[in-house]
Structure formats: C-alpha cells, structure tokens
Amino acid sequence: MDVDGAYAFYKLAWKTKPTAHLNTQSANHENHNCFGIPSFRLLNHTIILSVWCGQRCRRCCAGYSGEEIITGVPYYVVSGIWGAGGGGLAIGREIDRKCPEIVVQRRFDRDRGNPVIFSNADDKDDVVRVSSDVKIEFVGPRDRLCLTSTVWKVQDVEESTGKRWVELGGAEGGPSCDTKESWFKIVKAAGPMYNFKYCPSVCDSSTTTCNEINRAQDIDGQTRLALTDGSGSAWPWIFIKADEANKRIRQVVHA
C-alpha cells in the first residue's frame, strides 16, 4: 500500500466507523495528553484515529498514546503504515563505509528499531511542536566501530544517486548556521501520523530550502531516509514512547 492509498484508507475508516468493532477509549486530558483516541479493528488492522483536544495542544506533536511528545524522552519512530510498511527507524551502516552511521528502516513491522530523543531549537520549551525546528538523536547502546554522534543530519548530494540522505554524525550544538544540517521539522499528516521535513529556519542569513523526507533504497538495498526531489509524498510515521518494560534497543546491524 502506498502513502496516498493509506491516507484514503484512514479517511474511509473514519467515515464508516463500524459499531461492531468500535472500542472508544476515554480521553485523559492530564499529564500532557493531547487528544482522545477512538480505536477500532477493521480488516484485521487496528486503526488509530486522533481528535485534537484543546487550544493549548493545537501545535503539539503527539505520540501513539495521545500524549504530547516531550524533549529528552525516548520514542520509537515507527511506520504509520502497518504490514508492508516496514518497521521502525534504526542505526545502520553502509557496507563499504564504517562512519558515519546512517538512518535505516527495519524490515519487519514488529521491529521498532532504536529509540530517539528530540531537542527543540527553543530550549525553554519542552514540548515538541509541529513545524518547529527540532534535533533528532538516537539513544541507547551501540557498537564502538564509529564514535561520531548519533544526531541526525542531512548529508551532501551523493554523486552516484543524486540523493541527499539522512545520516548520523550531526552537530550537537545549539541552533546556528553551522548546525543547520541537523535541524528538522515534524509535519502533521493523516490521523496520528506525522511526516519529517528538512526546512531549517535556524539560520536567518541563508536561503532556506525545504524538502520533504521520504524512504528510498540505497545501492546496498537498505531502506533509508532521503530528501525528496519535489515528487511523491513523504512517508508517514508514528511515535511510540519507549518505556522500560517494552524497550528493545538493538545493536547496529545491517538492516
């Protein structure tokens, strides 16, 4: 199922809302809860549909549970399309290059990959907000083959493919022109899903280019994140909070 097909599926599911399988969960508007989420089972898939709650959360990003995304808290970034959509994002490596590491997607939807934490350009705000500059960093154990940072960044254009991939080794400093390759935006998509976008606004003196971020296969056959060329739709993702009971941090493997 492609991205546009998935969006149409969500819209159809919301309109039909079969009562035989409807299980509405009560909304908890405390403790950073951003919206109530009714869920129901349709065609053997659990569909999660979101409803915004109040004015204070209008621009917040929310996780799978409906709670606001908080900076410094680990979350899995998992495909918003289940089944053939693949699993979560993780640390990977190119076959012929040890460093820097890269952002890959796990093949299987039950594999959530490695958790990430978010940091805001505005360090006085601990809530991650839609279309604001955020830095993304993998956390947890990793092998010692590469000692660069696990902060995401956009690499230069790859000559062989013409693509700009998302890799690791990004700058760990605050917002500036020197760190602009490491700042991303999270954009609201259908239901509880979000897209990633590279459109940094942390460097006022430079011309800002904006690109959505989609999945693409590299020459090694790995599914990675890459900037789009203006065609197609960005891939949708959901955020699942990584608690201790369900944490599955994995070592770097060739995904």
Side-chain angles (χ1 to χ4, degrees):
M1 182 184 294
D2 61 15
V3 178
D4 294 332
Y7 286 178
F9 181 75
Y10 275 93
K11 290 177 181 178
L12 175 62
W14 179 250
K15 288 179 181 179
T16 55
K17 289 191 284 189
T19 56
H21 300 286
L22 183 62
N23 179 22
T24 303
Q25 299 176 357
S26 61
N28 174 15
H29 297 294
E30 300 177 357
N31 191 25
H32 299 296
N33 198 325
C34 198
F35 40 65
I37 301 180
S39 66
F40 56 89
R41 187 167 295 275
L42 179 65
L43 301 178
N44 295 322
H45 291 279
T46 300
I47 309 303
I48 305 297
L49 298 161
S50 61
V51 180
W52 286 113
C53 62
Q55 290 288 336
R56 73 179 182 86
C57 293
R58 180 162 292 177
R59 291 187 60 248
C60 73
C61 296
Y64 181 86
S65 65
E67 294 182 351
E68 295 172 356
I69 301 295
I70 305 299
T71 58
V73 175
Y75 296 87
Y76 294 107
V77 183
V78 180
S79 173
I81 300 174
W82 293 295
L89 298 180
I91 301 173
R93 179 174 289 115
E94 294 177 353
I95 289 178
D96 60 354
R97 188 183 68 160
K98 179 175 67 174
C99 292
E101 294 150 317
I102 59 177
V103 180
V104 301
Q105 184 189 18
R106 299 293 195 202
R107 288 193 177 99
F108 304 107
D109 57 4
R110 291 184 179 275
D111 188 341
R112 294 179 177 176
N114 298 107
V116 303
I117 57 172
F118 300 97
S119 303
N120 286 333
D122 179 5
D123 59 8
K124 296 179 181 178
D125 188 358
D126 65 353
V127 176
V128 178
R129 302 190 184 278
V130 172
S131 299
S132 62
D133 289 294
V134 296
K135 188 174 290 186
I136 307 170
E137 178 182 1
F138 282 118
V139 293
R142 61 192 284 223
D143 63 33
R144 305 295 291 176
L145 294 177
C146 188
L147 300 180
T148 55
S149 78
T150 55
V151 175
W152 295 16
K153 74 171 184 177
V154 174
Q155 68 174 204
D156 295 332
V157 176
E158 185 178 66
E159 291 185 4
S160 61
T161 63
K163 292 186 178 299
R164 296 189 70 186
W165 302 101
V166 179
E167 62 181 10
L168 305 186
E172 297 181 313
S176 70
C177 292
D178 294 333
T179 65
K180 67 179 182 179
E181 288 81 9
S182 298
W183 294 97
F184 298 84
K185 285 183 168 65
I186 299 172
V187 182
K188 191 73 178 74
M193 300 185 292
Y194 295 86
N195 304 137
F196 289 118
K197 190 172 186 177
Y198 179 66
C199 188
S201 52
V202 297
C203 183
D204 295 334
S205 62
S206 65
T207 301
T208 298
T209 57
C210 293
N211 299 84
E212 292 185 318
I213 297 176
N214 205 347
R215 306 186 313 169
Q217 280 202 334
D218 65 9
I219 58 174
D220 297 329
Q222 300 186 98
T223 300
R224 299 174 57 179
L225 297 187
L227 272 59
T228 64
D229 56 5
S231 61
S233 302
W235 193 260
W237 306 94
I238 59 175
F239 306 119
I240 300 177
K241 190 174 182 180
D243 55 42
E244 292 300 325
N246 197 29
K247 190 176 292 183
R248 288 190 281 173
I249 300 174
R250 300 182 185 277
Q251 298 292 332
V252 175
V253 297
H254 180 66

